[in-house]
Amino acid sequence: MSKKRIMFVCIHNSARSQMCEAFVRHYASDRFEVHSSGIEAGNLNPLVVKAMEEIGISMKGQYAKPAKEYIDRGEAFDYVVTVCDESNAERCPMFPGRSERMHWGFPDPSALQGTDEQKLAGIRPIRDDIHQKVKKWLAEN
């Protein structure tokens, strides 16, 4: 049985899409080949990495990638999931082939203000919401 391919897309591929990728890889790498990318690639948010490490999820080897790279290579996915706000989700490029498109909107960790500790405190509930959404979706698929 071949693995289903899933792509998580966000604006910069620095936080939300990366967390989704890490959770799917952690829980279901036997069933899914998971990727993430950004409308415009930024840099992986180190506070997101730290928040994920707090709950034992590694993001080792993950880095921000532009969606255009996948599209230019002609890569197709069974599922394409946008995780930014709805107005930015509409900017999500079309990937080759037929894919089921879904939108899971989550707040943007890069919009958080304050010290690193305050930002980390704001990232944790976003991480936990993403965690629950991914686990629920995996249980149904």
Side-chain angles (χ1 to χ4, degrees):
M1 180 171 98
S2 65
K3 294 181 184 182
K4 295 278 188 179
R5 299 186 83 218
I6 185 168
M7 169 63 76
F8 291 99
V9 184
C10 202
I11 300 167
H12 297 110
N13 190 219
S14 63
R16 296 167 284 188
S17 51
Q18 293 280 355
M19 286 189 274
C20 289
E21 177 183 351
F23 282 128
V24 171
R25 184 170 285 118
H26 179 78
Y27 290 115
S29 62
D30 60 327
R31 297 186 298 138
F32 292 95
E33 180 184 324
V34 61
H35 299 268
S36 68
S37 63
I39 296 169
E40 314 151 6
N43 294 304
L44 189 57
N45 184 327
L47 295 175
V48 166
V49 174
K50 184 174 183 177
M52 295 293 281
E53 287 172 349
E54 289 176 349
I55 61 168
I57 306 291
S58 172
M59 295 179 85
K60 185 176 178 157
Q62 289 184 222
Y63 61 94
K65 304 155 293 290
K68 187 173 180 343
E69 283 184 9
Y70 290 91
I71 293 165
D72 289 350
R73 288 193 301 260
E75 292 198 39
F77 295 90
D78 297 291
Y79 305 99
V80 174
V81 185
T82 55
V83 293
C84 45
D85 61 73
E86 288 203 36
S87 62
N88 281 304
E90 291 173 6
R91 294 175 44 209
C92 180
M94 295 302 293
F95 288 84
R98 298 180 140 239
S99 56
E100 181 179 334
R101 289 178 66 98
M102 296 174 278
H103 176 68
W104 301 348
F106 297 104
D108 186 357
S110 70
L112 297 170
Q113 302 293 313
T115 65
D116 282 356
E117 201 48 53
Q118 290 168 325
K119 290 177 187 176
L120 190 57
I123 290 169
R124 289 180 185 119
I126 298 168
R127 173 204 64 201
D128 295 344
D129 288 347
I130 290 171
H131 190 189
Q132 291 308 309
K133 181 68 175 180
V134 168
K135 284 177 67 174
K136 181 179 186 294
W137 186 83
L138 288 172
E140 296 167 354
N141 290 278

